[in-house]
Amino acid sequence: MALLKRSSPSSFSPVRYISLPGLVIWVMVTYIAVDLGMHLSSSEHGRVHKQVMKELQSSLASRFAEKAAAEDESKLLRLDGEEDEAARCNSVEAHMDVFEGQARKPQDPWNQLKWGLPPADCRVKGHLIERLDPLNNYRRGVALGFTTDLDDKTQIEHWFLGTKEDLNQARRRVFIDLGANYFTSSVMWFMHRYPCDFTEVHAFEADPTLFKFPPGWDEERNWVEPERHGWAKIKSRAGHVPSWLLSRIRYYNKFAGVIDNASSVNITRFMKHELKLKPEDTVIVKMDIEGAEWPILREWIQDPDMPKLVDELFVELHYWHPDNNWESVKQWTREDATRMLADLRLKGFYAHYWD
């Protein structure tokens, strides 16, 4: 019988030599013992692991349920709030929430510090908008003594819809200036100040002596070498504008109104059928047409398509006021103007008073 020699006297067996069958039996018994121990250990570990996982899953499920319940409650509160606001703001009177600036207080930031106005209670197009101020809506900065610039528009700049939505995403971005006056009075003002790169501008001015295109310059050939600070200087004179901007502007020597004739354009028809504007286009309208705005706005209020086409409206409502003595608009009052703006907002126009 073959014998195997152990290499160390400190072996498991007290004898130094064991037979091959005995070794096989010893190995098998050892394997079975180790396997059984591992199985028992694994079973116990598995039981504990399953218990821990069960408790963890239960805890996570409980937390997820609590979070879902909290989110549902928050959503319901938000929806309730939106429904409450929608119900509360479903009238012209609600949108006539006005700034009572005449009630002066010792600490009055809106009359002593703020150029703009506080937000109105009712949102328009889902966004906050400035509260109406019938007392000082006409050149507010001048009325409050903040500036002597009669054309200052600081009070409305931070309420631009273009600061709340990215209006540049639209492929077609249109500015319509009704009563453009001089080129620099509103066309250039909007090009400078409004946060949208307009792809087309339509300017209406009935007085041919007012609106004149300024000289243009070629931006691509107008750069000089960078100076030592790494800046580049543009060689242009005051009053000049880039030629590419001038190419986007179309001028109409006509009145904007509600009828079509030799001297007037039905502006609603023009926007819908001539320009073929769509709700997906960005459309900003400025209107300062010396009383002709009233019939246009009355028409727009009755037309459900117009608040979908016009993203933002800036309008000067002309009415009789002792400070301006506009005899031609004596049939309209400051109350009429406030109500018209409120009605426009109720119908979905993001409308501001333009002076």
Side-chain angles (χ1 to χ4, degrees), residues 140-177:
R140 174 176 169 81
V142 175
L144 296 179
F146 295 150
T147 180
T148 57
D149 181 5
L150 297 179
D151 294 323
D152 179 77
K153 305 292 189 300
T154 303
Q155 73 274 13
I156 59 173
E157 287 191 43
H158 56 281
W159 294 107
F160 286 160
L161 185 63
T163 65
K164 307 172 191 304
E165 297 181 10
D166 185 4
L167 300 178
N168 294 284
Q169 291 186 355
R171 182 187 62 82
R172 194 177 180 195
R173 304 177 296 276
V174 183
F175 174 58
I176 300 175
D177 192 347

Side-chain angles (χ1 to χ4, degrees), residues 340-351:
M340 173 60 80
L341 271 174
D343 205 359
L344 286 165
R345 291 181 175 185
L346 173 65
K347 295 301 192 298
F349 289 93
Y350 197 79

Side-chain angles (χ1 to χ4, degrees), residues 101-329:
Q102 57 269 40
R104 303 238 173 188
K105 298 174 290 187
Q107 297 180 5
D108 186 359
W110 300 105
N111 275 315
Q112 296 171 0
L113 295 174
K114 304 294 185 183
W115 214 304
L117 286 159
D121 286 342
C122 296
R123 298 169 188 258
V124 181
K125 293 186 184 289
H127 297 293
L128 293 174
I129 194 168
E130 79 276 9
R131 188 170 295 179
L132 299 177
D133 181 10
L135 184 66
N136 293 313
N137 62 1
Y138 183 73
R139 294 172 177 166
R140 174 176 169 81
V142 175
L144 296 179
F146 295 150
T147 180
T148 57
D149 181 5
L150 297 179
D151 294 323
D152 179 77
K153 305 292 189 300
T154 303
Q155 73 274 13
I156 59 173
E157 287 191 43
H158 56 281
W159 294 107
F160 286 160
L161 185 63
T163 65
K164 307 172 191 304
E165 297 181 10
D166 185 4
L167 300 178
N168 294 284
Q169 291 186 355
R171 182 187 62 82
R172 194 177 180 195
R173 304 177 296 276
V174 183
F175 174 58
I176 300 175
D177 192 347
L178 307 179
N181 206 301
Y182 294 100
F183 182 86
T184 55
S185 61
S186 54
V187 167
M188 204 61 208
W189 189 90
F190 274 92
M191 299 306 104
H192 280 153
R193 310 298 283 269
Y194 197 86
C196 180
D197 175 28
F198 295 105
T199 57
E200 55 189 280
V201 176
H202 300 273
F204 286 78
E205 177 50 58
D207 187 345
T209 66
L210 295 180
F211 194 90
K212 302 291 184 182
F213 282 100
W217 48 269
D218 188 344
E219 184 184 58
E220 293 182 359
R221 295 184 297 175
N222 205 44
W223 295 90
V224 298
E225 291 298 321
E227 298 178 333
R228 60 189 179 89
H229 294 295
W231 300 339
K233 183 186 293 183
I234 297 178
K235 297 183 295 184
S236 63
R237 290 176 293 175
H240 291 216
V241 298
S243 297
W244 59 261
L245 174 58
L246 295 179
S247 68
R248 299 181 182 184
I249 302 172
R250 185 172 178 183
Y251 165 58
Y252 306 82
N253 180 214
K254 288 191 173 186
F255 291 99
V258 294
I259 60 172
D260 286 306
N261 57 34
S263 60
S264 176
V265 171
N266 181 328
I267 195 62
T268 307
R269 179 205 57 78
F270 174 82
M271 293 171 66
K272 285 185 176 183
H273 303 296
E274 197 162 330
L275 294 184
K276 293 181 170 59
L277 296 174
K278 304 296 181 185
E280 58 267 25
D281 300 327
T282 288
V283 179
I284 308 299
V285 177
K286 182 230 104 181
M287 188 182 296
D288 182 2
I289 46 180
E290 310 305 317
E293 68 274 6
W294 289 94
I296 295 175
L297 295 177
R298 287 199 181 101
E299 188 176 274
W300 284 11
I301 283 174
Q302 301 301 320
D303 187 340
D305 292 334
M306 291 311 294
K308 298 175 184 176
L309 293 183
V310 178
D311 290 281
E312 190 165 17
L313 172 64
F314 300 84
V315 56
E316 179 166 356
L317 286 155
H318 295 80
Y319 56 89
W320 187 84
H321 189 280
D323 290 344
N324 53 44
N325 197 27
W326 289 334
E327 290 293 332
S328 61
V329 291

